[in-house]
Structures are given as C-alpha cells and as structure tokens.
Amino acid sequence: MAATSKGRRVSYIAVPSEIIRSLSSTSLHSLLLLFLSPTKKASRPGHRLLALGRSPNFLFSVLFFFALVGILRSWHHLDPLVPCPHLGRSPLSSPELSDSTAAMSAEGGGWVEARGEFWQQPDGMGYVPCLNFSKQYLAEGVTAARAGRQKKYLLVVVSGGLNQQRNQIVDAVVIAHVLGATLVVPVLQVNVIWGDESEFSDVFDLEHFKSVLADDVKVVSSLPSTHIMTRPVQEKQTPLHVSPAWIRSRYMKRLNREGVLLLRGLDSRLSKDLPPDLQKLRCKVAFHALRFSAPIRELGNKLAMRMRSKGPYLALHLRLEKDVWVRTGCLPGLSPEHDEIVRVERNLKPELLTGRSNMAYHDRKLAGLCPLNAAEVARLLKSLEAPRDARVYWAGGEPFGGRDALLPLIREFPNLYSKEDLTLPGELGPFANRSSLLAAIDDVVCEQSDVFMASHGGNMGHLMRGQRAYAGHRKFITPNKRQMLRHFLNAASLPESELHRIVKELHRESLGQPELRTDKIGRDVTAYPLPECMCEVGARMRSML
C-alpha cells in the first residue's frame, strides 16, 4: 500500500499479527531499527551493508523471510482443538493444567510421563508377542505350495461394520490355510445402512497384507483367467463354530474338483477354540497383516499427536446412536419424548431387538445389557479418579439427541473431542460418507490412547482389548455394569466418597491386566491373546536360541 506525505511516496507492507507475535523481541527490534534509522549516504565501504539494508528490495526480502518463518512456526504449533463444535457446544470452561500431567519446559518441546493413579498402566507381567509356529505347521505350508496351492482358490464376501469385517477376514485366512487354497482378496459387501462402497485396498494396506502372510497363505488380487469362467462351489450359510476337521470334510473334495470355493457370512462361523498354530495365525492376521491403508494411518496418527500434544489422553467408544438404543431394548433416558421415539421404532421393527426380548428395560439395564449413557460414563470415570482436565477422545456415531446426549460428560470433562473437532478444514474430505474409513481413523486414535473404555460391548471393544493386550497390556477399562449400576441407582443414599470407593473396588481387576483366553469358554484369541500368542520374555528368549 502506498501514500503521499509532503511530496514523498511512502510504502507500507501489511504483516499479519500472528507473524509479528511469532518473531522474537530481538529480531523485531532489529527490524524496526532498520526501518526507522535516518537514511545516510554510505560513504565508506564499511557502510555498504547498512545501505543495502535500507533498500526497499532488501527490506521486502527480509520481511518476506520473517513472514515465512512465522507461518511455519504457526503451522508447527497449530492446535485445532475446539471441543465438540459440530454439536453446537458453547465453551463451558477452560481449566488450567492440574497435577495429573506435568509439562516439560518449552525448550524441551515434550511432556514427561503422566502423573496420577488414573494414568498408571497395569502390570503386564512380562508378557510379549510370541508367534512361534510349530515345525509341523511350517512343513504344511511348504507342502501346500508344492502341491499347487495356486490351483485352488477361496473367494470370501465379508459383511457388517469395519471390525465385524476384520473378524471375518481373519477367519477367511485361517480357512484358506486349512484347505491349502489361495485366498482371493476378500470382497467388502456394500453396507446396507451406510451405503459404503469401500474396497479392501481403500481400508487396508493390500501389499502389506500379502507380504506378511506369504509363508502362511498365498493372497492374489483376482482369479486367474483360467478360473474366471469356473462356477464356484457356494456355501451360503456355514454353521456356527465349526472345526478345521468339519471344513476339510465339507469342502476339500468339491474344492479339488471345481477349483473355486465361495463363502459368505463368516461371522462367528469358525470355532474360537482352534489348535495353537491356527490361533497364532489368527493373531498374525489381526495384529500384523491387517494394517490400515496409508491415508488412514497418516490422518489417524496426526489426530493422536494432536490429542497427545498436551499430555496423556483417554479414548472412549460411546454407543449412543438411535439404532443402538432400539436394538438393545434400552432407553437413552434423555427425556420422555426421546424414550417414546425409541419405543415406537422398536415396536415397528421388533426383529431388530437382539436377544432376551422378554426382558423389561429395567431388568436389561441391571443385567448389564444396556450401553452406558453419558452421565453413567462420567460418574464411572470420576469414581476411577480421572482428572477433570483429562483430554478425552470419543469415537462412535452421532448420539441420539445430539449435544444434549453428551452434556453430562462435557460438564465433568470439558476437554472432550472427536475427529471432527481435531481435523483441519479439508482433512476429512477424502473420507466423507465412507463409514468404514471414518471408523478406521477412530481405531487408530483409540489404539494409541493411554487409557481406553467402551460404553458397551461389541467388535470394536474386543479389537481394542486384543490390540492393547498384545502391545503390552495397556490400560483397558471394562465397566462392571452388573455390579456398578445398582449402586448408581442408590447413589442418593451414599456419600459420594463411599460410592467412589465401591466403584473403584469393583474395577480393581478390570483395568486390562493379563487374562487367559482359556479361563472362559468362547473367548476369541484376537481379544485375549494369552496364552497362544504371547509368552514371558524369558520364554521368548529361550525359544530364539
């Protein structure tokens, strides 16, 4: 911008205030002196630099340099965290940092280990991942390759949400190994509810998947031309919990004859109790081969870093969506109007109700069959001494009731964020309207959290339990709903300190400590990797000798 003053033309350069703030006081002072010093002719060689400093082109270059530095510094320290704006939330408070976390100096640029009992991790008892396959298993892989594994192909169509699909892909790999067949990259069935048309390579790193499983199962992107016209043997409904022996007796002869087998709906079809080598294969697929695609990992890691920028964080998987309340036979408790909407929809679609349809809502809740609502989640976290200033990431669909459904949690824990809060404009654009990809981003952020808790059981909770156990038994809170909720209902008759003591004691053994899969029937090794997929450090060292 230019103006005229007493016959002289004066030039101005507009510099954003953010850039000015980013300059150190010394740099700014020197720059101002350069501008404001009276102009003198450089009569001696020693003054040439000073004269150059007063030239308009040089000054413009200096300003441009400092502006560029300021912009880079602004980007580096960018903090886009504004809790829950997409839910129309007005700021409740901005609490100062408490003793729950301790900051290092600004020069250090990092944070020390979190303080406070809530952030303490369970004793992992020295267990580490340990996938030592037997010699027989390894020999079977070599034999299958020699026998022409490429002549038999397994096609699989997986359905449901992201983590339900993951479970089916894990079992598809095991079935392919049992049959000595080549696995064609699984087809992700279009989700009826969300209309997500994502393919395998959109969600997962396909080349990584092939590479990790190269010694276990051959994976190809499509059927070869020699088999395209083959009419596959099709199994529409495999019985529940079948054994490897059943799979061989049912499919082997037909697969050898036809060359192609097509399976659909594999959810919970393969037994949870398999021989040790096949359990290890399950872990290898779930924890090593099924890595998310690069764009998902990149954005998920960015959001996790933003959450961790000011200390440790807690991740919650909240099941507050309308369809969840309808399917579980429970009520959100927001208002009589909201409860009535759920009742009406459930009566119109009784087939949506999952299990124990003869139980009344109150009985279902006391039996631990209902998701925790936001008020119950907040009360549980307070009882477990989660600090008020804890940074909380919540994953899940849009809550039924919008912002009002989350208000009890926001009041107790104001630093509540979702991926919509953390992302910059345009970052979520490539994932818009693709539920599987958005759920995968949530998985990445939740997996890296210091503490994780799900308000209700389900495939994501099981996945997080297994991943956190496999990573060294990182803290995973399992709400003891059956015992806890009866005390919540009688909270008025208990001092708050006594209620907190009771709830804390109920969860003393539910914080992610090592648990053996074999302690209970029907446990999935991808949720409980002990003892098949983990061993003590000493045992692992001995196995490597």
Side-chain angles (χ1 to χ4, degrees):
M1 179 172 64
T4 303
S5 176
K6 295 183 179 180
R8 290 186 299 172
R9 186 175 180 82
V10 182
S11 297
Y12 301 90
I13 298 175
V15 181
S17 59
E18 290 82 358
I19 305 305
I20 296 298
R21 286 197 296 267
S22 72
L23 301 177
S24 67
S25 58
T26 304
S27 301
L28 188 57
H29 180 69
S30 301
L31 191 60
L32 289 174
L33 284 177
L34 203 58
F35 271 115
L36 301 177
S37 298
T39 305
K40 293 181 180 180
K41 186 175 181 180
S43 58
R44 296 196 305 268
H47 291 166
R48 289 176 184 171
L49 183 60
L50 182 60
L52 178 63
R54 294 193 185 100
S55 72
N57 290 338
F58 178 79
L59 293 177
F60 180 82
S61 300
V62 170
L63 269 179
F64 178 81
F65 172 78
F66 278 109
L68 180 61
V69 171
I71 290 172
L72 292 176
R73 289 182 62 180
S74 298
W75 283 348
H76 179 69
H77 295 290
L78 185 61
D79 187 1
L81 305 185
V82 181
C84 300
H86 66 289
L87 294 175
R89 175 190 170 211
S90 56
L92 297 180
S93 65
S94 181
E96 295 180 358
L97 189 66
S98 74
D99 291 337
S100 63
T101 58
M104 296 175 68
S105 65
E107 291 77 14
W111 288 73
V112 298
E113 184 178 355
R115 298 174 184 171
E117 184 178 350
F118 180 78
W119 301 114
Q120 292 179 2
Q121 298 297 312
D123 181 6
M125 301 173 65
Y127 285 107
V128 294
C130 191
L131 299 181
N132 298 318
F133 292 96
S134 69
K135 293 180 179 179
Q136 180 182 352
Y137 175 90
L138 298 175
E140 286 175 354
V142 174
T143 302
R146 289 176 179 173
R149 185 164 47 188
Q150 68 276 10
K151 295 180 181 179
K152 297 185 294 185
Y153 295 88
L154 174 63
L155 295 170
V156 174
V157 179
V158 298
S159 59
L162 170 66
N163 293 301
Q164 192 175 358
Q165 291 175 342
R166 287 174 65 110
N167 293 338
Q168 294 172 55
I169 293 169
V170 169
D171 283 355
V173 172
V174 174
I175 293 172
H177 179 86
V178 168
L179 294 173
T182 294
L183 177 66
V184 180
V185 172
V187 176
L188 309 187
Q189 184 172 306
V190 176
N191 194 296
V192 177
I193 298 176
W194 298 290
D196 189 343
E197 298 182 358
S198 299
E199 297 182 357
F200 187 98
S201 58
D202 296 324
V203 183
F204 303 106
D205 186 334
L206 177 55
E207 294 308 314
H208 179 80
F209 182 73
K210 292 179 179 180
S211 174
V212 170
L213 297 175
D215 294 332
D216 307 278
V217 171
K218 184 178 180 180
V219 181
V220 296
S221 298
S222 60
L223 281 174
S225 58
T226 54
H227 288 66
I228 288 178
M229 300 303 294
T230 303
R231 184 174 182 177
V233 177
Q234 186 170 175
E235 185 73 31
K236 295 183 179 179
Q237 191 66 40
T238 304
L240 293 171
H241 311 305
V242 299
S243 67
W246 186 94
I247 290 171
R248 290 191 189 95
S249 64
R250 176 78 174 184
Y251 301 130
M252 189 66 81
K253 287 184 179 179
R254 289 188 290 170
L255 180 57
N256 287 335
R257 183 177 65 249
E258 302 295 340
V260 181
L261 171 66
L262 172 61
L263 297 179
R264 298 175 181 272
L266 285 180
D267 196 25
S268 298
R269 302 301 165 181
L270 190 60
S271 172
K272 304 301 181 188
D273 298 307
L274 298 176
D277 283 323
L278 296 183
Q279 297 286 52
K280 294 179 193 298
L281 179 56
R282 266 181 166 156
C283 290
K284 187 175 182 179
V285 181
F287 304 135
H288 296 276
L290 280 176
R291 185 173 74 179
F292 289 124
S293 62
I296 291 172
R297 297 199 313 274
E298 181 181 350
L299 182 55
N301 289 335
K302 281 183 181 179
L303 302 191
M305 289 176 64
R306 289 169 189 170
M307 283 299 299
R308 195 175 294 286
S309 63
K310 296 181 181 177
Y313 70 94
L314 158 71
L316 300 174
H317 185 218
L318 301 179
R319 302 308 311 272
L320 304 175
E321 304 96 314
K322 181 181 178 182
D323 71 293
V324 173
W325 296 116
V326 173
R327 287 188 293 103
T328 57
C330 304
L331 298 175
L334 288 173
S335 68
E337 292 76 17
H338 285 90
D339 289 349
E340 184 59 23
I341 291 172
V342 171
R343 288 193 189 97
V344 169
E345 186 158 338
R346 187 182 301 135
N347 290 335
L348 292 174
K349 302 176 181 178
E351 69 279 3
L352 295 179
L353 188 60
T354 55
R356 306 193 189 185
S357 57
N358 59 331
M359 292 181 69
Y361 158 62
H362 183 75
D363 296 331
R364 296 175 75 87
K365 191 170 186 67
L366 289 181
L369 300 176
C370 292
L372 297 177
N373 59 35
E376 292 160 346
V377 169
R379 180 171 283 181
L380 171 56
L381 293 176
K382 284 184 66 178
S383 297
L384 296 178
E385 300 183 8
R388 176 176 169 79
D389 66 353
R391 293 158 70 84
V392 184
Y393 180 88
W394 71 274
E398 187 73 11
F400 180 50
R403 172 179 177 263
D404 290 345
L406 289 176
L407 274 179
L409 185 57
I410 295 171
R411 290 193 185 102
E412 298 296 341
F413 300 95
N415 298 319
L416 183 69
Y417 309 102
S418 68
K419 56 183 172 291
E420 289 80 9
D421 304 320
L422 295 171
T423 47
L424 302 176
E427 284 186 322
L428 278 179
F431 310 97
N433 301 318
R434 304 180 77 177
S435 59
S436 293
L437 307 190
L438 294 171
I441 293 169
D442 279 338
D443 282 3
V444 174
V445 184
C446 290
E447 183 182 354
Q448 297 185 41
S449 66
D450 298 85
V451 182
F452 176 84
M453 186 179 83
S455 68
H456 194 51
N459 290 305
M460 182 177 179
H462 292 164
L463 172 70
M464 285 296 133
R465 179 190 293 276
Q467 286 181 335
R468 298 179 77 83
Y470 199 71
H473 292 93
R474 299 173 67 189
K475 192 165 186 178
F476 179 98
I477 301 172
T478 304
N480 188 342
K481 291 188 282 188
R482 287 187 181 182
Q483 301 295 324
M484 175 182 69
L485 289 176
R486 67 182 66 176
H487 294 291
F488 282 3
L489 294 175
N490 297 323
S493 62
L494 287 173
E496 187 176 28
S497 59
E498 178 64 11
L499 177 64
H500 289 180
R501 185 195 67 78
I502 292 172
V503 173
K504 193 173 180 181
E505 179 63 24
L506 287 174
H507 291 84
R508 189 166 53 88
E509 301 297 328
S510 302
L511 303 176
Q513 297 92 334
E515 291 185 63
L516 293 176
R517 184 191 67 83
T518 50
D519 283 351
K520 290 184 179 180
I521 297 174
R523 279 182 168 177
D524 192 332
V525 72
T526 59
Y528 298 89
L530 268 176
E532 290 93 345
C533 301
M534 301 185 76
C535 56
E536 295 179 86
V537 176
R540 182 177 183 180
M541 293 298 293
R542 289 192 296 272
S543 69
M544 296 172 64
L545 296 176

